[in-house]
Amino acid sequence: MKQGSFRAVRLRIAVILLIVMCLAVGSVFANPRTVDYLSVIIEPFAGYTVREWAIAGRTYRYDFEWALDASRFIARDNDNPFPRRAYVEAYPRQLFGNNPNNLDLRSLGIHGSFDRRGHNWIDVYPIETGSGQDGETPIPFEIPMPGRVHSLDMWVWGANLNLRLEAYFRDHTGVVHAVEMGSLYHEGWRNLNVNIPDRIPQSRRVLPRYAGLHFVKFRIWTEPNERVDNFYVYFNQMKVLTNTFESLYDGNDLADPDNVRALWVRN
């Protein structure tokens, strides 16, 4: 073998060793825990109004209920107008089995009917508990999402109709993003799971970096070629997989809005 070939081999070996050493050093000084995923049930659709969950030592408690709205060709019925909602005694057996603990398991039912085929829609959105009564306009309540949401999943019952479902989130700048959850063209209960796109911001450049999303609503769409005169959809267990990890640094308490308010009230 020529001397130039030996030099080339030695050079390649030296480069490989340098890369290995850099990786080893980096693994020593890198943060070994950059994600901390947690599965959180946001809404079981059980019929009660108060929801509570604990994350990273903090308890979050919200009080809201669900309301419906629809596009212009919704069927009219003065005695019992569409769209209609009810908490029915039904649930996905893939999730709860035969309910061996005899829990009061329910699901949110949506009953829709339109006068015309087309791109009709029904919105299913949270409102402040008690608002919208006696003919008053409901006050929307946007659900704060814990952590940085990686994915959203929910059990949905479909009647093999050509419908589809979207979820809407508001980011910290006020922009609302639609996330396609999938088709409802299936028979019975199915778990719909979708990753939250990276294009939706969940952090800031400046402190505090954390800037969580707010859930705005679900929207059920009808496809133009599908019958729309009478249909049902059921929801059960809305859940998120979320990253609750936050980097710690000297003075991180000064980036906590609650702590900042408390400090400035004292002065």
Side-chain angles (χ1 to χ4, degrees):
M1 184 179 292
K2 296 182 179 180
Q3 185 176 2
S5 299
F6 281 116
R7 290 178 179 175
V9 171
R10 287 199 297 270
L11 180 60
R12 285 197 293 269
I13 293 174
V15 170
I16 293 172
L17 290 175
L18 180 61
I19 293 173
V20 172
M21 290 176 63
C22 289
L23 291 175
V25 172
S27 64
V28 170
F29 292 100
N31 193 329
R33 186 186 179 195
T34 56
V35 295
D36 185 7
Y37 283 124
L38 184 67
S39 180
V40 181
I41 297 176
I42 301 297
E43 169 61 316
F45 295 106
Y48 49 79
T49 62
V50 177
R51 286 79 169 176
E52 184 174 292
W53 52 83
I55 298 175
R58 297 181 62 178
T59 299
Y60 300 83
R61 181 184 176 92
Y62 302 108
D63 189 358
F64 61 89
E65 53 188 314
W66 294 90
L68 305 179
D69 195 9
S71 52
R72 58 180 298 190
F73 295 120
I74 192 70
R76 305 297 173 184
D77 184 338
N78 294 331
D79 295 329
N80 190 11
F82 289 99
R84 303 164 181 167
R85 71 167 178 83
Y87 290 97
V88 300
E89 296 180 10
Y91 59 91
R93 294 188 181 276
Q94 296 177 70
L95 186 60
F96 298 105
N98 291 320
N99 190 17
N101 297 321
N102 294 317
L103 302 174
D104 183 19
L105 299 176
R106 295 176 180 269
S107 298
L108 175 63
I110 300 103
H111 184 192
S113 182
F114 290 92
D115 293 329
R116 300 185 188 181
R117 298 188 182 194
H119 288 295
N120 304 297
W121 52 261
I122 294 177
D123 281 348
V124 185
Y125 65 103
I127 61 173
E128 293 184 6
T129 297
S131 69
Q133 297 181 355
D134 301 324
E136 295 181 355
T137 302
I139 302 174
F141 175 81
E142 298 184 359
I143 307 173
M145 295 287 99
R148 294 177 174 84
V149 181
H150 173 72
S151 63
L152 167 71
D153 78 73
M154 186 170 68
W155 287 86
V156 184
W157 186 94
N160 219 29
L161 294 172
N162 200 4
L163 312 174
R164 58 187 178 88
L165 183 65
E166 288 179 334
Y168 288 71
F169 295 90
R170 189 186 303 277
D171 68 27
H172 69 94
T173 68
V175 176
V176 176
H177 304 265
V179 178
E180 186 77 26
M181 292 200 67
S183 171
L184 305 187
Y185 190 57
H186 59 258
E187 298 176 348
W189 289 104
R190 177 172 293 183
N191 181 254
L192 301 183
N193 185 293
V194 62
N195 290 337
I196 303 302
D198 292 336
R199 60 178 170 80
I200 302 179
Q202 300 189 58
S203 62
R204 305 182 184 90
R205 178 181 59 84
V206 299
L207 300 179
R209 294 190 186 280
Y210 172 69
L213 299 177
H214 284 71
F215 173 82
V216 178
K217 65 182 178 182
F218 292 109
R219 173 166 285 186
I220 302 169
W221 286 97
T222 71
E223 297 295 351
N225 61 341
E226 187 56 87
R227 50 158 287 205
V228 294
D229 57 313
N230 187 42
F231 62 91
Y232 295 86
V233 176
Y234 299 92
F235 291 169
N236 193 284
Q237 198 178 92
M238 171 187 176
K239 183 170 61 176
V240 296
L241 180 65
T242 186
N243 180 15
T244 61
F245 174 79
E246 292 295 329
S247 297
L248 298 179
Y249 47 85
D250 189 3
N252 65 285
D253 56 322
L254 294 176
D256 185 326
D258 292 336
N259 288 338
V260 171
R261 280 192 291 270
L263 288 171
W264 282 80
V265 164
R266 300 169 191 163
N267 293 277

